[in-house]
Amino acid sequence: MEKTVNLATVSPSTPLPRALKRQKERHGPQKELKKWDEFEDMLEERRHFSDLKYAMKCYTPTVYKGLCPCKPDKIKRCVLKSEEVQYIIKQISKETHESTDIIQEEASVILDEMAHKLRLGAIRFFAFSLSKVFKRIYKKVCVNEEGIQRLQRAIQEHPVVLLPSHRSYIDFLMLSYVLYTYDLPVPVIAAGMDFLGMKLVGELLRMSGAFFMRRTFGGNKLYWTVFSEYVKTMLRNGYAPVEFFLEGTRSRSAKTLTPKLGLLNIVMEPFFKREVFDTYLVPISISYDRPLEETLYAHELLGVPKPKESTTGLLKARKVLNENYGSIHVYFGEPLSLRSIANGKMSRGPYNLVPRHIPQKPSEDMHAFVSHVAYKLELLQIQNMVLNPWNLVATVFLQNLPRMDFDILVKKTVWLKDLTQTFGGFLIWPDNIAADEVIHSSLLLHSNIVNFNKDQVILKEESEEPGTAEGLVFQHITILMCVAYRNQLLNIFVRPSFVAISLQMTPGFRKEDIYSCFDFLRDVFSDEFIFFPGNALKDFEEGCYLLTKNETIQVTPQDILVTDKGDTVVSFLALLFKPFVEGYRIICQYLQKEENEGFTEKQYLTGIRNYNYCLLQSGESECYELLSSDMHKNALAALVRLGAVSKNKVNDEYTYKVNDEAIIKLEEMLGAKIPIGKPVTARL
Amino acid sequence: MAEAAASAAADGAGCGSGSSLERERERVCAGRRLRVLSGHLQGRAPAAALVLNECRGRAPAAAPAAPPPAAPESSSIPKKRQELMKWNGWGYNDSKFIINKKGQIEFTGKRYPLSGMVLPTFREWLQNVLGLNLDQRTTSKASLNASDVPPSVVKEDFLDDLKETSISYSQEADDRVFRAHGHCLHEIYLLREGIFQRIPDIVLWPKCHDDVVKIVDLACKYNLCIIPFGGGTSVSSGLSCPVDEKRTIVSLDTSQMNRILWVDEHNLTAHVEAGITGQELERQLKESGYCTGHEPDSQEFSTVGGWVSTRASGMKKNIYGNIEDLVVHIKMVTPKGVIEKSCQVPRMSTGPDIHHFILGSEGTLGVVTEATIKIRPVPEYQKYGSVAFPNFERGVACLREIAKQRCAPASIRLMDNMQFQFGLALKPQVSSIFTSFLDGLKKFYITKFKGFDPNQLSVATLLFEGDREKVLQHEKQVYDIAAKFGGLAAGEDNGQRGYLLTYVIAYLRDLGLEHYVLGESFETSAPWDRVIDLCRNVKERIAKECKEKGVQFSPLSTCRVTQTYDAGACIYFYFAFNYRGISDPLTVFEETEAAAREEILANGGSLSHHHGGSQVESILQILKDHINVSYFFIVPMAVYKFYLAVI
Ligand SMILES: Cc1cc2nc3c(=O)[nH]c(=O)nc-3n(C[C@H](O)[C@H](O)[C@H](O)COP(=O)(O)OP(=O)(O)OC[C@H]3O[C@@H](n4cnc5c(N)ncnc54)[C@H](O)[C@@H]3O)c2cc1C
């Protein structure tokens, strides 16, 4: 059993200056002291007992109290017969003059394409083979069993939606595997259609509960209705927990992606319409020491096209079996009762005055609420994501490229460890082992990224295997891999760091000015990091609170002052996020200089990549972050949101146009050449 | 209710006193003579018809040849109500649940089919379902302590004027307390455990319309507040006195205005005084072969005026309609005069229907003094029935289909499983009609052969009325539909018992209150497609709220679909919980009830189908805000019940 030490609660031992004390008191009761459950290694038992017996065990999962047991076929029939689907069929028939039979047939085809065929046999097959694979490639698969118990209770009470973080394809296999092991019902999982490209795998996944959704519905009413009715039917009947990924896709950069609201909307609807009494939403955090897709992601981010998921592709992955991927931590968060979250937040009007089967565009209220819930869930996911020593090592190392002394690395990593724990990071660090050993072993696990040579840690510059894609600098791949590991830290660090950057960017110490800057940064980077919509002040206060806690700053009624010992922390934090500020600034620069009227996203993506490439080569910039196409996309979205770029639809294609004045201003603000506008709030 | 039971069980245990029967017959004869007479006069000399409306005993000497109806001064409801009815609970003094020497629960009295019977399994059921322990008794007041009661504040000059009218009145504590409440749980709880902060200052017993006119005039003159009091069965706090009301509060008890003034057999209407109770009205009409068919569960005590004021609904509304369908004419005294239509016609199209403002106005606009109500010949044949469904959902689907085909019997009610079990638990020791549903072969048949789960099963009770042939035909039609939804005919007895229990349940609350259990019923109406969700969610919400509020035993929350309509249904809930270990049970109760109502609204249901409610104020406010009210009669009545003070 691993001990997880919670350090969010550690308080400074030296007496606090008065002003600080006040601050502390003010924040004290606000900030919940986070305690995490303990982890249990699931593989432990697998290593000692027969996998076959385990796969053939008597499996009688606890089920929803209101369950009406039925076969996958019956669900399909229910969906086709449902008033919702029938209504749309009639409507389309009226519009297109097509007979309802034909449309009904179409609906049936859609349903066949998407529906799962959950079979116990397939689950047992996976249970057996995954046991073999997992034991081979993972050291441990850790699960918080208290979370499992909470989930077990929740499943009996109300329909359950499982919302895991998404860092790897392993996520959903792993989750079903865990649930099977603990005698909980295996979920039905919303998966992308791309899997269906892989014939065999697709069908296998189908039989283990995956159902498939097209990535774009393109306004296809019939598809949308059939799909959402399918999901809702399973949810209402309590057929099985419904699982999907709020982030929509695997995050290549390991930062949590902003939530997609479509499916969340669907699973919340039965409650809104009171077809169910309540629905539990369960945030689940799955953290990998080393995701299988590690290098693949780096390639993708560099813009090398994503290989189609194909069976052969997966089989090639056989070499995977000879690798060591460290451990996995699966943390089941507290099930959230949708009813409790909605309490007082939703006016009941909309569904009372129209028959429930008639589709309605969600009101603004409703939309805001769904988004509120989505962010809340993602923040909870983040809170329970496990950080490991390597995340810290990668962070330190990235600030000291391309090589550094091992001793210094250890020293700085240990320093960062304390900081991470102060900021409430869920860090798993074996305290019974000496720090240099801990770090050493994590270097070994990631020997594909760094070499350890004569007391020096060196970034790998050459691939060990031939066949690196053309035009790529191998180093860029290793750097982006490091970046991904560091990124896992950023979610925890973003608030205090933005305060730190604001301190640097703002002339003077006035709290108001610093807050304006903070608010500005938060706004600009809200596609990069997860912030609760609205409520910038709360984020600011949290950032300040964390910094006061370790005596980095001192907050007085008017000013924010950096303490003497605080300088190091402030500069470290600022440096941590500098690549983002710098990256966005360069993008502004590029758009100003290079792009002409009406460019497309594709043009922009290639353009900025080349632009950055040149800068890197000429040594004008060291912003390796900007290699990541993730940042390119996020920045474009942010610029559109901020009005610095306008987006227009011309002949089914979006084109963009730069607003020169705004982009220049933005660039100057990011470069701290001009102060950030007027204070936003007087209430500070 | 008792009536229905009695007639069905053919044992005719009425509740009027035997000696009055003779006089009644006399009165009916006199009435009939009069009817003939006024029939002759009608149209030509309408004033003659009015003769009838004169107060009895005070009719002018120059009365027409026929004497006025010889109604007894003391009607079925005495002025001293507490002599007949419980001062701190439901119903007649002689009828209540007690624990007999053997420790069994027994229902006393002679009025109801269940009266005098022992219920051997009920104790255990209460223990299991509510954790109710009959050995633990609450210590509530045995009788009213007059010195606790707020004093009567009445101006002398008003009293002087009042005396001149010779309208009888009382300022005694027990009379005033009796009229300070209806039958909401919190009212009864307060009666038993404390006392109201504000009660009427004086009780008045007008005998006729003219008396009411006089009272209202006096109220205007002295700036008094009037609260009309009919049967006192209100469950919407419509009778409770606002604590901060500074004016003298007059309780206008209509019990002495209880005559049938005339019956028009041609148009099938009866003109009655507003204080007549449902039971009395039906009894008297029956003698001449008629009925109104309006049977709210409270009909023993509730009155025509109360029905009008609360938009009441009767069990057999499928045949006879709700009160709004039944009233043809209403006469109401307001501070500005008397409101009534100029004719007695089935429908009018001359602007908004004034009845629609009066119906449901909860006594805020004026006093209803008389009404003309539709009557029907007493049906030739009545038949009970019941159907068992595998579960509640199937039952609801069946009721929906029956409503769709518009073939609902006079009454059809679908009980959920808990209510069905409840009914079983009330099975008396010896009774032919109370043979248990799940006894013997039938139980085997239903559970083993048909695969019904006794813990899922749901039962519909039916009541058919009409001529024999049609009833039988109708019955077949309904059973055929039921069969399509997996419903099995489950016998007449079960049906009949279902209806009897409805009335007895009202007496149960007092038993609960004596043993740390608070209980209440509430109802709603909802569109068909939401019925199942609403029922499930409301029950679950109650359970959840109770749990969160520290109620140790899970509460009883059960429902039935009690009326069907084209576009929806009426659902009736019972809710009770054991409050041992809770310091402020009333608050827990009120919060839970409020949560249940909130849940109903969130599920697309209404606040009330028939119990009436405190929405009157806001609706009047809407009228005031949205319509140029200076045209409205509701504007200037500053003296009426509290709501009007603000308008
Ligand atoms: C056990 C029980 C069962 C019930 N069952 C039913 C049922 O099946 N269906 C149903 O609809 N209701 C039912 N009710 C509710 C209640 O019986 C009705 O609301 C009934 O109409 C009230 O009549 P009442 O004569 O008792 O009026 P009260 O309770 O005396 O008064 C009700 C309201 O009307 C006003 N009012 C009374 N008389 C007049 C008048 N002459 N002029 C102006 N205002 C007046 C009062 O001020 C008060 O606001 C039940 C109540 C109980 C306790």
Side-chain angles (χ1 to χ4, degrees):
Chain A
M1 197 184 300
E2 247 172 272
K3 219 27 192 181
T4 58
V5 197
N6 176 357
L7 297 128
T9 59
V10 173
S11 57
S13 48
T14 40
L16 296 168
R18 278 192 64 201
L20 270 172
K21 242 187 192 152
R22 201 175 327 123
Q23 180 79 13
K24 193 177 157 58
E25 275 157 13
R26 215 175 120 206
H27 286 283
Q30 277 179 15
K31 179 99 182 140
E32 291 264 308
L33 303 181
K34 172 81 185 159
K35 278 253 182 285
W36 287 282
D37 304 334
E38 284 182 359
F39 278 118
E40 203 78 38
D41 176 17
M42 250 178 73
L43 288 187
E44 180 71 17
E45 195 181 311
R46 291 275 53 72
R47 294 193 200 278
H48 295 107
F49 299 96
S50 149
D51 287 333
L52 193 63
K53 262 199 197 141
Y54 157 78
M56 297 317 292
K57 74 172 179 175
C58 165
Y59 172 63
T60 46
T62 36
V63 292
Y64 172 48
K65 64 170 188 236
L67 174 75
C68 37
C70 61
K71 295 248 155 58
D73 272 357
K74 173 147 182 238
I75 296 176
K76 280 205 248 174
R77 258 176 288 139
C78 281
V79 172
L80 283 179
K81 272 198 293 186
S82 71
E83 281 179 291
E84 282 81 353
V85 170
Q86 287 303 320
Y87 176 84
I88 278 299
I89 289 179
K90 278 191 205 123
Q91 220 192 21
I92 294 176
S93 160
K94 244 186 247 161
E95 284 164 15
T96 60
H97 306 293
E98 195 84 72
S99 85
T100 50
D101 289 348
I102 292 181
I103 303 167
Q104 169 100 15
E105 186 48 39
E106 239 174 85
S108 173
V109 170
I110 291 175
L111 205 50
D112 283 337
E113 175 193 273
M114 77 175 61
H116 70 79
K117 293 181 189 154
L118 189 56
R119 287 243 294 269
L120 189 53
I123 302 295
R124 294 196 191 282
F125 168 77
F126 270 113
F128 180 77
S129 43
L130 287 181
S131 291
K132 297 277 177 231
V133 175
F134 288 168
K135 276 190 284 189
R136 186 147 175 173
I137 64 175
Y138 293 124
K139 195 167 131 222
K140 287 177 180 174
V141 172
C142 299
V143 177
N144 65 325
E145 291 192 343
E146 279 164 68
I148 294 275
Q149 278 158 20
R150 286 191 296 259
L151 179 60
Q152 186 180 25
R153 281 192 296 272
I155 281 176
Q156 291 169 56
E157 284 174 33
H158 304 297
V160 165
V161 181
L162 303 176
L163 298 153
S165 59
H166 203 13
R167 300 285 171 274
S168 168
Y169 279 144
I170 296 295
D171 288 329
F172 53 84
L173 295 176
M174 179 53 79
L175 209 50
S176 298
Y177 182 77
V178 171
L179 295 180
Y180 170 82
T181 308
Y182 286 97
D183 262 335
L184 292 175
V186 292
V188 288
I189 310 149
M193 294 282 285
D194 10 9
F195 283 107
L196 285 181
M198 307 183 270
K199 264 252 144 52
L200 197 84
V201 176
E203 283 314 300
L204 246 175
L205 290 179
R206 221 192 255 287
M207 286 193 284
S208 54
F211 60 94
F212 298 93
M213 73 188 279
R214 297 182 190 161
R215 289 235 180 258
T216 48
F217 304 162
N220 183 339
K221 270 192 289 191
L222 185 64
Y223 187 87
W224 173 253
T225 310
V226 170
F227 178 77
S228 69
E229 193 50 32
Y230 181 64
V231 176
K232 284 187 284 182
T233 303
M234 293 189 290
L235 195 80
R236 281 191 295 250
N237 294 356
Y239 174 81
V242 172
E243 173 184 325
F244 66 91
F245 299 100
L246 270 175
E247 296 169 274
T249 179
R250 293 167 301 158
S251 165
R252 273 66 169 169
S253 63
K255 277 189 289 113
T256 299
L257 305 177
T258 50
K260 309 282 173 290
L261 304 184
L263 258 162
L264 191 62
N265 230 319
I266 293 178
V267 296
M268 282 162 79
E269 225 179 67
F271 169 72
F272 288 155
K273 294 182 174 172
R274 295 302 192 273
E275 292 162 340
V276 296
F277 183 76
D278 199 353
T279 302
Y280 276 126
L281 306 171
V282 188
I284 299 170
S285 315
I286 308 180
S287 336
Y288 296 86
D289 279 1
R290 211 188 135 191
L292 291 186
E293 296 96 327
E294 180 187 47
T295 34
L296 188 70
Y297 289 159
H299 281 87
E300 284 178 28
L301 287 174
L302 282 171
V304 182
K306 179 182 170 194
K308 266 243 175 297
E309 277 86 351
S310 66
T311 315
T312 39
L314 203 87
L315 288 180
K316 255 189 223 150
R318 280 186 69 151
K319 86 168 181 49
V320 164
L321 289 180
N322 296 322
E323 295 257 345
N324 171 8
Y325 289 93
S327 299
I328 298 184
H329 290 88
V330 185
Y331 196 96
F332 289 86
E334 189 84 44
L336 295 185
S337 142
L338 179 52
R339 177 175 272 269
S340 317
I341 317 175
N343 189 12
K345 290 212 181 62
M346 297 277 309
S347 68
R348 61 186 160 252
Y351 290 109
N352 280 357
L353 298 178
V354 176
R356 290 182 293 183
H357 66 271
I358 296 183
Q360 272 191 81
K361 220 175 128 101
S363 63
E364 232 160 80
D365 252 19
M366 185 93 76
H367 187 82
F369 177 69
V370 175
S371 154
H372 168 100
V373 175
Y375 277 92
K376 188 183 175 96
L377 286 161
E378 285 203 345
L379 286 169
L380 287 168
Q381 281 177 359
I382 289 171
Q383 203 173 49
N384 296 330
M385 287 291 254
V386 164
L387 299 171
N388 57 55
W390 173 249
N391 296 127
L392 309 185
V393 172
T395 306
V396 171
F397 190 57
L398 271 177
Q399 293 190 2
N400 295 276
L401 285 176
R403 60 176 63 214
M404 76 188 290
D405 286 341
F406 181 69
D407 292 346
I408 301 175
L409 178 67
V410 171
K411 205 174 120 219
K412 289 197 168 179
T413 305
V414 170
W415 176 84
L416 182 55
K417 168 183 168 238
D418 290 343
L419 193 61
T420 309
Q421 289 171 331
T422 318
F423 288 171
F426 188 8
L427 180 64
I428 291 200
W429 184 290
D431 274 323
N432 49 352
I433 302 173
D436 52 351
E437 261 179 67
V438 172
I439 291 166
H440 189 220
S441 69
S442 78
L443 289 174
L444 283 181
L445 182 63
H446 298 276
S447 57
N448 56 333
I449 301 177
V450 285
N451 280 332
F452 186 43
N453 197 347
K454 297 192 207 110
D455 296 336
Q456 280 235 312
V457 180
I458 309 157
L459 185 74
K460 277 214 170 162
E461 309 215 350
E462 261 159 67
S463 172
E464 273 155 11
E465 46 193 293
T468 311
E470 217 167 296
L472 278 184
V473 181
F474 181 72
Q475 201 192 27
H476 291 174
I477 292 181
T478 42
I479 289 180
L480 276 189
M481 277 162 34
C482 277
V483 164
Y485 286 109
R486 178 212 59 194
N487 281 349
Q488 294 170 29
L489 221 59
L490 299 188
N491 288 319
I492 304 291
F493 276 64
V494 65
R495 286 164 191 80
S497 298
F498 276 13
V499 174
I501 301 175
S502 303
L503 281 165
Q504 284 196 343
M505 283 172 73
T506 313
F509 310 96
R510 286 190 44 208
K511 204 167 165 185
E512 281 167 46
D513 298 341
I514 294 162
Y515 173 66
S516 305
C517 183
F518 179 90
D519 189 39
F520 164 75
L521 290 170
R522 185 179 176 276
D523 195 19
V524 172
F525 294 109
S526 62
D527 294 278
E528 297 282 353
F529 308 103
I530 304 302
F531 294 106
F532 213 73
N535 228 343
L537 188 58
K538 195 160 165 252
D539 282 328
F540 181 66
E541 285 184 342
E542 190 187 324
C544 289
Y545 163 69
L546 292 173
L547 290 176
T548 7
K549 206 166 87 166
N550 70 349
E551 295 173 64
T552 300
I553 59 166
Q554 202 174 330
V555 181
T556 71
Q558 282 84 35
D559 294 335
I560 298 182
L561 306 166
V562 180
T563 62
D564 292 342
K565 56 174 280 202
D567 269 338
T568 343
V569 177
V570 169
S571 17
F572 171 81
L573 294 178
L575 201 58
L576 189 59
F577 281 80
K578 189 170 163 239
F580 291 90
V581 182
E582 185 61 11
Y584 274 45
R585 195 189 62 74
I586 294 174
I587 290 174
C588 288
Q589 203 179 50
Y590 159 77
L591 285 172
Q592 228 184 97
K593 282 190 190 154
E594 305 288 327
E595 284 297 357
N596 31 27
E597 292 270 304
F599 59 94
T600 63
E601 185 176 13
K602 211 168 152 197
Q603 287 165 343
Y604 155 80
L605 288 176
T606 2
I608 180 69
R609 189 161 22 167
N610 294 337
Y611 183 79
N612 184 50
Y613 215 72
C614 296
L615 289 185
L616 283 174
Q617 292 225 301
S618 67
E620 268 175 84
S621 146
E622 285 194 349
C623 186
Y624 292 103
E625 309 282 331
L626 206 46
L627 290 166
S628 156
S629 58
D630 243 23
M631 182 181 279
H632 307 156
K633 287 177 196 157
N634 287 339
L636 188 61
L639 292 173
V640 170
R641 191 163 36 77
L642 296 170
V645 167
S646 59
K647 183 177 178 179
N648 301 299
K649 195 164 187 173
V650 183
N651 311 330
D652 271 359
E653 202 182 23
Y654 286 111
T655 60
Y656 298 82
K657 186 170 165 278
V658 176
N659 173 348
D660 285 326
E661 206 180 311
I663 212 123
I664 292 173
K665 183 150 176 249
L666 191 61
E667 195 219 319
E668 288 179 344
M669 282 160 96
L670 287 167
K673 286 183 212 140
I674 54 167
I676 316 295
K678 273 251 118 263
V680 199
T681 155
R683 278 188 302 108
L684 271 172
Chain B
M1 54 177 281
E3 210 77 49
S7 60
D11 80 19
C15 14
S17 65
S19 62
S20 69
L21 243 148
E22 204 62 309
R23 267 176 290 159
E24 271 311 314
R25 195 152 300 146
E26 238 181 81
R27 194 187 132 177
V28 170
C29 292
R32 216 168 266 154
R33 257 175 282 136
L34 251 173
R35 240 164 23 229
V36 175
L37 194 83
S38 66
H40 288 310
L41 293 172
Q42 239 162 30
R44 272 174 290 146
L50 276 180
V51 171
L52 272 165
N53 301 14
E54 288 297 332
C55 286
R56 55 203 120 157
R58 273 183 272 123
E73 174 74 33
S74 70
S75 62
S76 54
I77 304 286
K79 288 185 193 168
K80 286 262 165 212
R81 289 176 186 249
Q82 53 276 29
E83 284 166 8
L84 180 69
M85 292 181 277
K86 294 191 192 74
W87 72 276
N88 65 347
W90 175 252
Y92 297 104
N93 283 327
D94 55 25
S95 302
K96 64 187 293 195
F97 285 96
I98 57 154
I99 302 158
N100 66 18
K101 290 195 194 79
K102 286 188 195 156
Q104 290 168 316
I105 298 176
E106 188 179 323
F107 193 57
T108 62
K110 291 200 184 87
R111 295 175 188 271
Y112 305 95
L114 207 65
S115 297
M117 291 195 183
V118 175
L119 314 169
T121 57
F122 193 42
R123 181 180 185 142
E124 197 189 330
W125 189 85
L126 286 173
Q127 167 75 50
N128 292 342
V129 171
L130 280 165
L132 182 144
N133 184 341
L134 286 179
D135 300 330
Q136 287 171 321
R137 280 185 154 270
T138 50
T139 47
S140 59
K141 281 188 307 211
S143 60
L144 186 69
N145 186 352
S147 59
D148 293 344
V149 173
S152 157
V153 181
V154 182
K155 283 200 198 103
E156 276 308 320
D157 39 357
F158 161 63
L159 277 182
D160 293 343
D161 275 2
L162 180 63
K163 280 172 194 154
E164 268 180 28
T165 65
S166 74
I167 293 167
S168 77
Y169 68 91
S170 163
Q171 284 173 276
E172 276 169 39
D174 52 351
D175 290 328
R176 293 190 293 124
V177 168
F178 199 101
R179 286 156 189 87
H181 65 88
H183 283 270
C184 295
L185 174 93
H186 66 90
E187 293 172 321
I188 301 300
Y189 186 80
L190 251 182
L191 264 182
R192 299 171 55 96
E193 306 292 333
I195 194 64
F196 304 111
Q197 276 189 56
R198 186 74 167 94
I199 65 170
D201 295 293
I202 183 167
V203 181
L204 265 55
W205 286 279
K207 283 192 180 149
C208 60
H209 172 80
D210 288 349
D211 281 358
V212 175
V213 173
K214 285 179 203 157
I215 293 170
V216 172
D217 281 347
L218 286 179
C220 291
K221 182 170 166 194
Y222 291 102
N223 189 27
L224 315 176
C225 166
I226 296 177
I227 300 181
F229 187 91
T233 65
S234 163
V235 281
S236 57
S237 303
L239 295 170
S240 62
C241 302
V243 173
D244 48 8
E245 180 57 67
K246 297 284 184 303
R247 297 171 292 177
T248 294
I249 297 179
V250 174
S251 175
L252 189 155
D253 185 327
T254 60
S255 62
Q256 308 309 307
M257 302 166 51
N258 58 5
R259 292 171 298 169
I260 297 180
L261 296 174
W262 48 256
V263 172
D264 177 347
E265 290 174 285
H266 207 77
N267 295 306
L268 287 177
T269 53
H271 191 67
V272 304
E273 287 183 311
I276 192 166
T277 61
Q279 160 168 254
E280 220 12 59
L281 179 60
E282 293 305 86
R283 194 180 62 75
Q284 291 185 30
L285 285 174
K286 197 174 172 192
E287 285 170 9
S288 32
Y290 292 106
C291 67
T292 65
H294 184 66
E295 291 179 15
D297 295 351
S298 58
Q299 67 149 336
E300 291 163 289
F301 310 106
S302 60
T303 62
V304 171
W307 301 340
V308 167
S309 305
T310 59
R311 289 181 68 89
S313 168
M315 176 182 98
K316 300 194 290 197
K317 74 92 195 153
N318 290 339
I319 292 185
Y320 302 96
N322 290 317
I323 192 69
E324 65 272 21
D325 311 308
L326 281 163
V327 284
V328 173
H329 188 264
I330 300 171
K331 192 167 177 180
M332 181 166 82
V333 182
T334 80
K336 286 271 162 170
V338 177
I339 296 179
E340 62 181 325
K341 290 187 183 174
S342 62
C343 49
Q344 312 237 9
V345 293
R347 186 169 193 273
M348 283 164 78
S349 163
T350 45
D353 190 334
I354 206 139
H355 285 178
H356 289 173
F357 291 107
I358 297 173
L359 283 157
S361 60
E362 298 263 352
T364 55
L365 303 181
V367 183
V368 175
T369 54
E370 291 168 15
T372 307
I373 295 199
K374 293 196 234 172
I375 55 170
R376 303 279 310 157
V378 172
E380 171 195 311
Y381 188 64
Q382 261 199 341
K383 192 170 183 194
Y384 289 97
S386 65
V387 183
F389 292 97
N391 56 41
F392 187 65
E393 289 75 12
R394 300 283 281 163
V396 171
C398 175
L399 261 62
R400 203 281 158 268
E401 183 60 29
I402 287 172
K404 193 173 177 179
Q405 297 194 22
R406 293 220 174 138
C407 63
S411 167
I412 176 164
R413 289 172 168 181
L414 178 77
M415 298 180 285
D416 69 0
N417 185 262
M418 179 53 104
Q419 214 164 114
F420 159 72
Q421 308 261 5
F422 190 1
L424 291 186
L426 282 167
K427 183 188 155 195
Q429 205 156 32
V430 274
S431 162
S432 55
I433 68 157
F434 283 107
T435 50
S436 167
F437 184 95
L438 285 179
D439 278 351
L441 246 183
K442 210 168 237 165
K443 173 172 180 173
F444 179 80
Y445 177 68
I446 285 194
T447 58
K448 292 280 171 351
F449 185 68
K450 280 289 172 181
F452 283 25
D453 176 352
N455 295 317
Q456 289 286 313
L457 166 163
S458 160
V459 172
T461 57
L462 314 167
L463 172 60
F464 297 92
E465 262 188 28
D467 56 65
R468 203 183 132 82
E469 200 135 312
K470 284 218 183 94
V471 162
L472 296 178
Q473 214 179 326
H474 192 178
E475 192 186 19
K476 182 175 180 322
Q477 185 185 9
V478 169
Y479 284 117
D480 284 349
I481 296 175
K484 292 204 183 92
F485 293 87
L488 292 174
E492 285 186 60
D493 293 350
N494 283 308
Q496 185 171 5
R497 188 177 58 220
Y499 288 99
L500 303 184
L501 293 181
T502 313
Y503 303 113
V504 168
I505 283 171
Y507 283 92
L508 269 174
R509 179 159 80 194
D510 296 331
L511 178 71
L513 282 168
E514 272 160 28
H515 300 280
Y516 297 94
V517 168
L518 297 188
E520 181 70 299
S521 63
F522 55 94
E523 40 75 43
T524 181
S525 49
W528 275 115
D529 69 316
R530 315 217 177 198
V531 169
I532 289 168
D533 289 335
L534 186 145
C535 291
R536 182 197 57 233
N537 290 343
V538 170
K539 287 191 274 183
E540 188 151 352
R541 179 71 181 267
I542 289 172
K544 177 173 184 270
E545 293 288 328
C546 282
K547 193 169 171 193
E548 285 172 7
K549 294 180 174 42
V551 175
Q552 281 154 21
F553 230 87
S554 61
L556 168 75
S557 70
T558 159
C559 70
R560 66 168 184 262
V561 177
T562 202
Q563 287 292 3
T564 64
Y565 290 88
D566 288 349
C570 164
I571 304 152
Y572 200 93
F573 291 91
Y574 291 111
F575 151 47
F577 69 93
N578 184 329
Y579 69 82
R580 256 178 303 158
I582 290 177
S583 57
D584 186 3
L586 200 57
T587 304
V588 170
F589 168 80
E590 281 174 347
E591 286 174 4
T592 307
E593 196 197 16
R597 290 204 189 276
E598 183 202 283
E599 191 62 37
I600 286 178
L601 294 179
N603 280 271
S606 65
L607 270 181
S608 169
H609 164 265
H610 61 266
H611 277 175
S614 41
Q615 295 276 295
V616 182
E617 203 172 348
S618 43
I619 286 170
L620 292 181
Q621 191 65 41
I622 290 171
L623 285 179
K624 187 172 179 283
D625 293 348
H626 292 258
I627 300 172
N628 187 349
V629 279
S630 58
Y631 290 115
F632 258 96
F633 65 90
I634 57 170
V635 196
M637 291 179 296
V639 261
Y640 255 87
K641 219 167 143 182
F642 41 102
Y643 308 122
L644 278 180
V646 298
I647 291 179

